[in-house]
Amino acid sequence: MRRTRPGVDDMRRRRTSYRIPLAIGIGCYVLAAIAGMLLLTDALGTGLTILLWIAHGVLLADLLRWLRVSWESSLSAALLIVLASAMSVYVAGVARDDLTLQQRGEEITATVVKQWSDPPQGRNARNSYYTLERQDGTTVPGPAMRTEFHHYDVGQVLTVIADPEGELRPQTPGQASATGDALGAGALALVALGSVGWMTWQGSDAAQRRAERKSKAPSGTQRMFKTVTRDHSRREEQEEKLREALRTLRPDRRGYIKVHPEAYPDVSHRRAARIAWETGLRAEAFGNQGSWRFAESVVEEVPQD
């Protein structure tokens, strides 16, 4: 039967009970940011909006670190959350305009009196714009009607929904449906919340124990290395070999000593970090690209076994 040190289970329970409310709080903050940016987007300029999204991402990365994940993971998750949130705000804004047009707009019969398109940009779709007039000759209020492709010609008669206040573009009844945009905005918001949940799992004890077991177990490459080289040395001998390598190998131009983990198939990365610490070095956890890197100062240190 497995035994744990006194207080370990209590400590894990406290960390878990603390992490779950924190994750819920971060999720509520993400939703609040989406709602706030949706309300403020029209009042803010493009530059200020971008600055707010950047500040939001930096704060998110710092909050996600409290879930016991690495800086690299928290930054990646924060970037994904910000992108999904920004797209959700944009799509929700389109849905809001469509709903507003449905509620206060009036259906009229109009004639296309002018048509033009965006300049060509590679293979991108070119939006087409239309100036519309009522049957009595007055111009339909609001900006020019827009479609993604060229659909109508000058002189064609259309049924459109126009905004009496002239703030929104006129649209055909089929264009003004907000259902698809609302569902899209909700799906993007769920992606942002799902990223918070994934980071919560990544920082959980279960995920860290799984990563620890994986780091301790010899990989397929390491087992193949032992078979091909007929290296049947014991772990103690491999550890001594690693100590000797750390003492004798010369650092590269960036100050790192690199070793190949396949040469030490029974030594985990955490154990290697402990051996390096005993020799006055630190094990780098960031950007190793298949090698183990050691230096006196590192960006992110590997936890010791």
Side-chain angles (χ1 to χ4, degrees), residues 57-58 61-62 64-65 70-80 199:
V58 172
D62 187 55
L64 292 172
R65 280 285 288 166
S70 65
W71 263 116
E72 184 180 14
S73 299
S74 65
L75 287 173
S76 300
L79 177 61
L80 175 59
M199 287 298 99

Side-chain angles (χ1 to χ4, degrees), residues 117-130:
S117 301
D118 288 332
Q121 295 181 352
R123 297 184 179 180
N124 295 336
R126 299 173 61 188
N127 291 327
S128 291
Y129 302 87
Y130 310 89

Side-chain angles (χ1 to χ4, degrees), residues 17-129:
S17 61
Y18 169 79
R19 191 182 306 114
I20 293 175
L22 177 60
I24 294 175
I26 295 175
C28 293
Y29 166 68
V30 169
L31 292 178
I34 292 175
M37 293 299 290
L38 179 61
L39 294 174
L40 297 174
T41 296
D42 294 336
L44 300 176
T46 303
L48 185 56
T49 301
I50 293 175
L51 289 177
L52 286 177
W53 280 121
I54 293 174
H56 174 53
V58 172
L59 179 57
L60 266 177
D62 187 55
L63 290 174
L64 292 172
R65 280 285 288 166
W66 286 86
L67 296 174
R68 297 172 59 207
V69 297
S70 65
W71 263 116
E72 184 180 14
S73 299
S74 65
L75 287 173
S76 300
L79 177 61
L80 175 59
I81 293 171
V82 169
L83 291 177
S85 299
M87 293 174 63
S88 178
V89 169
Y90 173 77
V91 177
V94 174
R96 179 187 57 190
D97 291 344
D98 291 343
L99 287 173
T100 302
L101 186 62
Q102 289 178 0
Q103 291 173 358
R104 72 184 187 197
E106 57 180 5
E107 190 171 301
I108 61 174
T109 300
T111 303
V112 178
V113 296
K114 184 179 180 181
Q115 183 274 329
W116 69 96
S117 301
D118 288 332
Q121 295 181 352
R123 297 184 179 180
N124 295 336
R126 299 173 61 188
N127 291 327
S128 291
Y129 302 87

Side-chain angles (χ1 to χ4, degrees), residues 156-174:
Q156 191 168 349
V157 178
L158 309 173
T159 298
V160 298
I161 301 175
D163 180 16
E165 299 182 10
E167 296 179 356
L168 304 175
R169 296 180 185 274
Q171 298 187 58
T172 62

Side-chain angles (χ1 to χ4, degrees), residues 11-12 113 137 191 212 218 227 269:
M11 185 181 300
R12 286 177 177 171
V113 296
V191 170
E212 184 177 352
T227 302
H269 200 182

Side-chain angles (χ1 to χ4, degrees), residues 236-247:
E236 292 78 7
E237 296 173 342
Q238 295 172 18
E239 291 181 357
E240 187 58 35
K241 180 181 176 183
L242 177 59
R243 288 189 180 92
E244 182 64 23
L246 295 176
R247 286 194 296 264

